[in-house]
């Protein structure tokens, strides 16, 4: 699986991994900030952005995609950061190949299995959108309102909309596979039975419930050198709500 990447900057290598329904563009402000000091590789993970589609989306496979990218670009060791699903991919890489990771930064996700399906209305809305009759992004936004109330979330989701060579709207994200593999996406990393002892930073949105106190034991079992920082007045989309503060936090962590 040859992943699409946008590279920028010079210095030690950082790989940046986005969350579900996203692409490397969603961490664009963070990546640009880090690129003032590092060579940043913003990857589109499988079934997202400009990367290839696949019928499977296990974290082991997605981690192997990242390791393949590192091998193809002669990256022996990197700093890793990931948001949400991207954070789970980053954690899996660190657990599978700890010798390839310098420092690990995980944004608002824990290495645990989440029982709640949080994205059913999004999947239903995107899947049922009549793309053949959509003539503009505003048409798509109007259709999506009955499924997704928050305007900023709709704008994020509609970044997946593009026109093919025939001028017809299509989705970049592989919706049928995300739906069929959703049980894999909410799965945790507990089954790996491995540890990453390198420096690890978990960054929690102050108003988000993705990282909870009851996750502490499982986090420390897998990441014994982990620490947690909280960014107040933010939800799950920490990178969109307080990008400058998040970038400063990451720069201090990677350079420390």
């Amino acid at each position: 699986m040859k992943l699409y990447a946008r590279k920028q900057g010079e210095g030690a290598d950082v790989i940046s991994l986005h969350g579900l329904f996203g692409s490397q563009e969603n961490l664009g402000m963070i990546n640009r900030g880090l690129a003032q000091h590092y060579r940043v590789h913003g990857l589109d993970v499988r079934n997202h952005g400009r990367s290839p589609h696949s019928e499977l989306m296990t974290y082991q496979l997605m981690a192997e995609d990242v390791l393949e990218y590192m091998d193809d670009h002669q990256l022996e060791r990197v700093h890793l950061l990931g948001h949400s699903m991207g954070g789970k991919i980053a954690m899996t890489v660190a657990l599978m190949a700890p010798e390839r990771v310098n420092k690990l930064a995980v944004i608002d996700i824990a290495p645990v299995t989440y029982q709640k399906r949080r994205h059913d209305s999004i999947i239903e809305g995107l899947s049922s959108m009549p793309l053949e009759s959509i003539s503009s992004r505003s048409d798509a936004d109007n259709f999506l309102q009955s499924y997704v109330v928050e305007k900023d979330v709709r704008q994020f989701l509609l970044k997946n909309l593009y026109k093919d060579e025939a001028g017809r709207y299509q989705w970049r994200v592989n919706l049928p596979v995300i739906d069929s593999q959703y049980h894999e996406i909410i799965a945790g990393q507990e089954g790996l039975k491995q540890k990453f002892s390198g420096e690890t930073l978990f960054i929690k949105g102050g108003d988000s419930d993705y990282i909870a106190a009851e996750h502490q034991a499982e986090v420390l079992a897998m990441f014994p050198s982990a620490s947690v920082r909280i960014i107040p007045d933010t939800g799950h989309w920490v990178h969109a709500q307080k990008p400058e503060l998040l970038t400063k936090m990451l720069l201090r962590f990677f350079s420390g």
Side-chain angles (χ1 to χ4, degrees), residues 110-136:
V112 300
T113 299
Y114 291 90
Q115 302 303 322
K116 180 180 175 184
R117 288 184 62 102
R118 298 171 183 254
H119 302 95
D120 284 351
S121 63
I122 289 175
I123 294 171
E124 183 182 356
L126 299 183
S127 299
S128 61
M129 186 176 293
L131 294 175
E132 67 283 352
S133 62
I134 295 294
S135 59
S136 67

Side-chain angles (χ1 to χ4, degrees), residues 92-235:
T92 306
V93 173
L95 292 168
M96 287 173 53
E99 73 283 356
R100 307 293 299 272
V101 180
N102 287 317
K103 293 185 180 182
L104 170 66
V106 180
I107 304 169
D108 209 59
I109 201 73
V112 300
T113 299
Y114 291 90
Q115 302 303 322
K116 180 180 175 184
R117 288 184 62 102
R118 298 171 183 254
H119 302 95
D120 284 351
S121 63
I122 289 175
I123 294 171
E124 183 182 356
L126 299 183
S127 299
S128 61
M129 186 176 293
L131 294 175
E132 67 283 352
S133 62
I134 295 294
S135 59
S136 67
R137 287 183 178 273
S138 60
D139 283 350
D141 184 62
N142 289 336
F143 177 86
L144 203 54
Q145 283 184 37
S146 58
Y147 297 91
V148 182
V149 175
E150 303 90 344
K151 184 177 181 180
D152 57 341
V153 177
R154 294 198 307 273
Q155 290 175 337
F156 156 71
L157 294 168
L158 291 174
K159 288 182 179 180
N160 285 291
L161 204 58
Y162 77 103
K163 283 186 177 179
D164 62 17
E165 294 180 356
R168 295 172 297 210
Y169 279 110
Q170 305 286 352
W171 294 117
R172 290 199 186 279
V173 68
N174 190 342
L175 291 169
V177 169
I178 286 175
D179 190 17
S180 68
Q181 294 283 288
Y182 194 81
H183 62 288
E184 299 285 359
I185 295 167
I186 62 175
Q189 281 59 51
E190 309 96 331
L192 290 174
K193 306 298 183 186
Q194 292 164 277
K195 291 183 181 181
F196 174 69
S197 298
E199 289 187 64
T200 305
L201 177 64
F202 285 83
I203 300 173
K204 170 180 162 50
D207 301 329
S208 171
D209 64 354
Y210 276 83
I211 298 177
E214 58 264 30
H215 298 148
Q216 182 178 4
E218 287 168 289
V219 167
L220 290 175
M222 288 178 264
F223 304 97
S225 299
S227 59
V228 179
R229 296 289 302 276
I230 298 173
I231 297 183
D233 303 317
T234 58

Side-chain angles (χ1 to χ4, degrees), residues 30-100:
I30 308 303
N31 294 344
R32 286 192 295 274
L34 293 174
Q36 296 180 40
H37 303 274
Y38 296 94
R39 181 165 65 159
V40 179
H41 306 252
L43 304 188
D44 285 348
V45 308
R46 64 169 60 197
N47 293 320
H48 289 73
R50 291 171 172 80
S51 283
H53 286 187
S54 166
E55 293 300 310
L56 299 173
M57 280 190 73
T58 69
Y59 281 112
Q60 179 168 338
L61 287 173
M62 291 190 282
E64 289 172 355
D65 294 342
V66 175
L67 290 167
E68 180 181 3
Y69 176 87
M70 291 174 63
D71 290 341
D72 289 346
H73 293 81
Q74 293 82 51
L75 306 179
E76 193 60 36
R77 286 174 67 91
V78 300
H79 296 313
L80 267 182
L81 76 94
H83 170 254
S84 198
M85 180 186 73
K88 285 196 165 188
I89 299 170
M91 287 187 281
T92 306
V93 173
L95 292 168
M96 287 173 53
E99 73 283 356
R100 307 293 299 272

Side-chain angles (χ1 to χ4, degrees), residues 7-27:
K7 292 184 284 188
Q8 53 189 318
E10 297 293 335
D13 292 289
V14 175
I15 286 181
S16 168
L17 301 168
H18 63 82
L20 187 62
F21 302 113
S23 73
Q24 56 84 23
E25 295 176 3
N26 299 121
L27 292 172

